[in-house]
Structure formats: structure tokens, C-alpha cells
Amino acid sequence: MAEAAAAGSGGIPRGFPRMALYVLLGFSAGLPFYMFSTVLSVRLADHGVVLAVIGFFAWVQLLPTFKFLWAPLLDKYDVPGFARFCGKRRGWIMLSQLGILTSMVAMAVFSDDASLPLTALFAVLLAFWTTTLEVAADAWRIELAPTPEEQGPVAASNLWGYRTAMVAAGSGALLFADVAGSLSATLRSFGIEPGWTAAYLLIAAGAAVPLPILALLPRAPGCGGGRGAALATGLLASAGILLAVATVTATVGWVILAAATGIGISAGTNVLPWVLGIAMLPFLLLAAALPWIRDAAPDSPIRASTAVGPYADFFWRYGFLAIAVLAFVSVYRMGDVLALNLSKPMILALGYTKTQIGWADGLVALGSSIVGVGLGGWMVTKWRWEVTLSIGALFAALGNFGFVWLAHQPIDQNTLYLATAADQFGNGMAGAVFVVYLSMLVNPRYPGAQYAFLSGFAFLLARLLSGAGGTAVTWLDNAGYDGFDVFFLASGVISLAALLFLPVLANATPRLDDREPA
């Protein structure tokens, strides 16, 4: 009873710094992200994998785009054991952290990338559990801070944690992986041999830090049972869930690879036309289904369904403006996503070392990102969202243009610092205002599912195109152009192109919910 009484609303204990919790949740989700994206692309390049195949690995990042497929499960079901004491949201976060830990340990064990399908399997598992954690954490955040005034500082705190962890993981992993770098002697003095195995194991240890903190928080409101029994049962249930997910993922991956081989897709295949065609399908299907959804009654199967009801609700409220909203969110962060996968291979190709890149990410990127996130969070509390989104897009574009500038400068650590600072400042600012904008589109009746859908759809087109980035750069080089220059110039222009949607969306107002309050 004393533990239950000590807990405040939403399962946060009274006296526990609320903003610290949001930083912690952001840290939990951000730490693994670079390990299956940017850091993995450097690792593959370090092992001599061709640029086109490195581009294909960017499709691992598509998994977060489809998180809406399993997000309703997190709203409806509890994690056995953990939820008995920790509640629904904390239980899912703890399960996800166990999945992140085991996936990164597996990536460390097979860090030589001798089997690329095996590397892809563990990267996909890491992406899946990282995404599941984000779904649970986003739902908890929206439940605890449902208004724009609350979301500004909350989103900033969450993104501070997220981007701090991303930068720390990206920087630390590169420093730990460089066998001749400035930290190699220090690592060896502790009996740790620098390399990719050490890099992934050390980041995995960091990813495990929030797990005991969440487990030791007081009992969530409405929960019963003892802590020890709940945690023991939760660990056993989690082991079964992790094994089942890994088995299903391996099976699906084998089927996809066999199908790709069967139709002749290889590192030399121009996949861009396929990617563009697939990217257009969601918009065409939505346009066809909207009239039916728009006229659906509150008790109709499509709106009452647990599986599709949360998503139908979004289109019912916004009507045909939903297509414009989805087009805008698909383009707004596209430049950043396109740059993410190939920026580090480009910098390596210029002649910079893993240690130089690591120090740039650690010394400069973190501070620049925190400043950008803070300014973005402050702007959304002061100005209209059209203004804040415009400023964010401008600085994101300047960050991408900075890579083109870097490519034409002599190799110098300070030059790398400047380009890194511009990129991370723009990403942080655009990310902060974008999170708040997406949060305000959500119906509080379905916070987890709708935010998962919107944030996932926002990166669908970008991540599809990102997978073809290596192929595009190679094709441009073969055609006589500087492939990286054209690629990063185009990514910056795309960030600015999102502003063309703002006049259409400025007065977009959703229909009022016609059902009884949930």
C-alpha cells in the first residue's frame, strides 16, 4: 500500500523528477538507433561491403515505419508478469529493453559480418525492439502530457535524452571500434580489445542501464502483487516472447531473400524505379478508401475495430486533408533520413578516421543537438506551428548542404566539427517541432496507435528511398557526376520542399469526435 500511495498519476512516483523520466525514456529509445543504422553502415564499409549493399541495409530502418501494425497490441495487451507490478507502459518498455540488449549482444558476437544475412537478422531484431520501446514510451508521454503547452517541454526533454543517447552511442561505438584510435590503449588497460565486438558490447551495457531503474520504481497505480514475483514471471515470459519473435523474423527474412534472389535483385540492380512505385501505393490506396471511411458511422466495423479503428479514426476526422498531411510529414524529415545512412561512409571515403568521426560526434554533435532541440521545444510554446516548422526545415536543409561543403575542404578536424554541428543542430530543431506537430494530430482516444502510425508513415518514403541511396550515388558516379555532392544537395532541397504544403495545412481542422468519451 505504501508503494502504491507513493505513485502519482500515470505511474510516475510522487517526488520523482518528471522531466528526468522523459529524458530517461528518450535515452532508452535513442541509444540503440545508430547501432542498426549509421554505426552499422560504417561497420559494413570498414569490412569492404559495397556501397549499394550498404544502401540496402538502410531498409532495416523501414521497420519503425510499420510500427502501426503492432502498436494496437501495446494498447490492448499487457506483458505477462511485468504489467502486474509496473503497469502496461512500463512493462512493454522493460520487455523492449531486454530485446534490445540481446540483439546487440548477438551483433557483437557476429561482428565480423562474414554472414550478411545473419547481420541483417540481428539488425532487424534490434530495430524491432527499439521501435516497440518507442511506441510504448510515446503512448505514455502523450497520456501524461496531452496539451501543446505540456508537450513542448516534454518533447524537448524526451528528445534531449533520445539525441544524447544517439550521439553517445554513435560516437562511443566508433571510438571503441578503432583499433589504433586514441582510446585503444585505455581500453586495453582494462583488458578490453578495441574493435566492433567491444563497441557493440559496451553500447549494449549502456542500453541496459534504464532497465533496473524502471524495475525499481514504485508499483504503478491499479496494480497488485509483489515486485519480485512480477519481475521473475516477466523475465520468463520475456524469454519466450524474444525467442518467438526471433524465429518468426528469421523465417520471414529467409522468404524475402529467396524471393529477391528469384527475381534477380542483386547489388548491381537499379532498385529506384521499384522503390518509387512502392512508395506511391499507400497514397493511392488511401485516396480510394477515404470516401468510404469518411461516411462510416461510429459503430461501423472499420471504426469500431481494435485492429484498424485507430487509423480509420484519423482519416475520418481529417477527410481528404489527411492525404496532404501524410504527404507533408513524409517529406518534412526526408532530407535528414537520406543523409543519415550515407554521411558516415562519405566522410570515411574523404579520408577521416573512425576516431576523428567519433570525436566529432561526441564533442560537437551532442551539444549542437541539445541546443537545436531546446530551441525547437521553446519555439513551439511561443509561435504558430507553421513558423516553427518552417524554421526547422531551413536549418535541416543547411545541415545537409554542409556535407557538400565538407567534401570540398582539406581534411581538418575543425572543418568536420563545423559540418557536424550544422547537421546535428538542424536535425535537433526540426525533430523537436516535428514531434510536437505529430502529437497534436493524435486523437487522445488512441495515443499509442495513432502516433505510431503518423511517426511511422512520416519516414516510409524517406527510408524506402534511403535504401536506394547507395545505388543512386554509384549510378551518378558512373555517369560522370560527383554522386555524393548531388545526393546531399538533393536531400537539402527536399527538406525545403516540405514548406510548399504549409499553406494547404495552415487551416486544417479535424472533425469533432462523434462518439462518447473513452
Side-chain angles (χ1 to χ4, degrees):
M1 290 295 292
E3 268 192 319
S9 63
I12 301 178
R14 293 189 179 93
F16 190 90
R18 177 172 288 211
M19 293 305 170
L21 175 64
Y22 297 131
V23 172
L24 177 67
L25 294 177
F27 183 89
S28 301
L31 196 65
F33 184 80
Y34 274 1
M35 305 308 289
F36 65 83
S37 57
T38 302
V39 170
L40 181 57
S41 70
V42 176
R43 182 173 118 175
L44 294 171
D46 203 31
H47 290 148
V49 178
V50 298
L51 192 61
V53 174
I54 294 174
F56 293 161
F57 267 84
W59 284 329
V60 173
Q61 299 165 48
L62 273 173
L63 202 58
T65 302
F66 297 104
K67 59 188 173 183
F68 64 88
L69 295 176
W70 69 92
L73 301 178
L74 276 66
D75 284 338
K76 185 173 183 179
Y77 298 108
D78 295 335
V79 177
F82 288 153
R84 188 186 310 165
F85 184 89
C86 300
K88 183 189 296 290
R89 303 304 183 194
R90 246 165 73 196
W92 276 106
I93 291 171
M94 291 167 67
L95 169 64
S96 301
Q97 287 179 318
L98 288 172
I100 288 167
L101 176 63
T102 55
S103 300
M104 273 207 279
V105 169
M107 292 189 76
V109 172
F110 297 97
S111 63
D112 59 358
D113 297 324
S115 171
L116 290 181
L118 204 57
T119 300
L121 169 63
F122 295 127
V124 168
L125 288 171
L126 180 57
F128 174 81
W129 288 115
T130 302
T131 303
T132 302
L133 188 151
E134 289 181 5
V135 172
D138 284 335
W140 203 12
R141 171 177 59 80
I142 293 171
E143 288 174 351
L144 297 174
T147 67
E149 292 74 19
E150 294 174 299
Q151 274 293 322
V154 165
S157 298
N158 187 261
L159 276 171
W160 273 333
Y162 188 87
R163 298 194 68 82
T164 297
M166 285 176 65
V167 172
S171 171
L174 295 180
L175 291 170
F176 300 149
D178 197 338
V179 296
S182 57
L183 291 186
S184 58
T186 302
L187 290 173
R188 290 189 177 101
S189 70
F190 286 98
I192 301 172
E193 182 60 30
W196 288 112
T197 297
Y200 272 79
L201 286 177
L202 290 169
I203 300 302
V209 169
L211 183 60
I213 296 175
L214 290 173
L216 291 173
L217 289 177
R219 181 187 293 113
C223 295
R227 186 195 305 270
L231 293 179
T233 306
L235 287 172
L236 287 174
S238 296
I241 294 170
L242 294 179
L243 181 59
V245 170
T247 302
V248 171
T249 303
T251 303
V252 172
W254 179 82
V255 171
I256 292 174
L257 286 176
T261 302
I263 61 176
I265 293 179
S266 68
T269 304
N270 181 12
V271 297
L272 191 57
W274 290 78
V275 168
L276 292 174
I278 293 171
M280 291 304 299
L281 283 178
F283 294 98
L284 297 176
L285 294 174
L286 289 172
L290 263 172
W292 175 48
I293 297 174
R294 184 70 171 163
D295 295 334
D299 58 351
S300 64
I302 191 171
R303 292 185 62 193
S305 166
T306 300
V308 300
Y311 315 121
D313 172 81
F314 174 78
F315 296 102
W316 181 87
R317 289 187 302 122
Y318 283 95
F320 282 97
L321 269 176
I323 295 179
V325 170
L326 293 178
F328 168 72
V329 301
S330 295
V331 174
Y332 189 77
R333 299 303 309 280
M334 184 182 293
D336 297 338
V337 175
L338 290 175
L340 175 66
N341 195 53
L342 294 185
S343 58
K344 295 299 187 288
M346 183 207 77
I347 295 171
L348 279 174
L350 293 176
Y352 289 96
T353 66
K354 293 191 289 292
T355 293
Q356 288 176 311
I357 298 171
W359 282 123
D361 284 349
L363 294 174
V364 177
L366 179 58
S368 303
S369 176
I370 288 175
V371 173
V373 168
L375 283 175
W378 174 82
M379 288 192 305
V380 298
T381 66
K382 301 296 182 182
W383 302 328
R384 287 174 56 86
W385 59 263
E386 303 98 308
V387 176
T388 58
L389 287 170
S390 298
I391 296 173
L394 174 61
F395 278 98
L398 291 175
N400 287 350
F401 294 150
F403 289 119
V404 181
W405 171 78
L406 176 67
H408 295 275
Q409 304 302 312
I411 294 178
D412 180 78
Q413 191 74 19
N414 291 327
T415 305
L416 179 60
Y417 286 167
L418 185 57
T420 302
D423 176 55
Q424 291 297 316
F425 176 83
N427 285 353
M429 176 180 287
V433 300
F434 192 58
V435 165
V436 175
Y437 175 70
L438 292 184
S439 299
M440 294 303 99
L441 295 173
V442 167
N443 186 341
R445 184 186 292 266
Y446 308 111
Q450 286 197 359
Y451 189 87
F453 168 71
L454 289 169
S455 57
F457 198 97
F459 295 100
L460 171 61
L461 180 58
R463 285 170 176 156
L464 278 170
L465 292 173
S466 181
T471 302
V473 170
T474 302
W475 181 87
L476 287 166
D477 283 336
N478 292 337
Y481 301 98
D482 189 313
F484 279 125
D485 276 6
V486 177
F487 182 81
F488 286 106
L489 281 172
S491 66
V493 171
I494 289 172
S495 293
L496 297 175
L499 303 182
L500 299 175
F501 290 92
L502 293 182
V504 177
L505 301 178
N507 298 313
T509 303
R511 270 202 291 187
L512 296 177
D513 203 328
D514 59 351
R515 294 164 295 184
E516 294 295 326

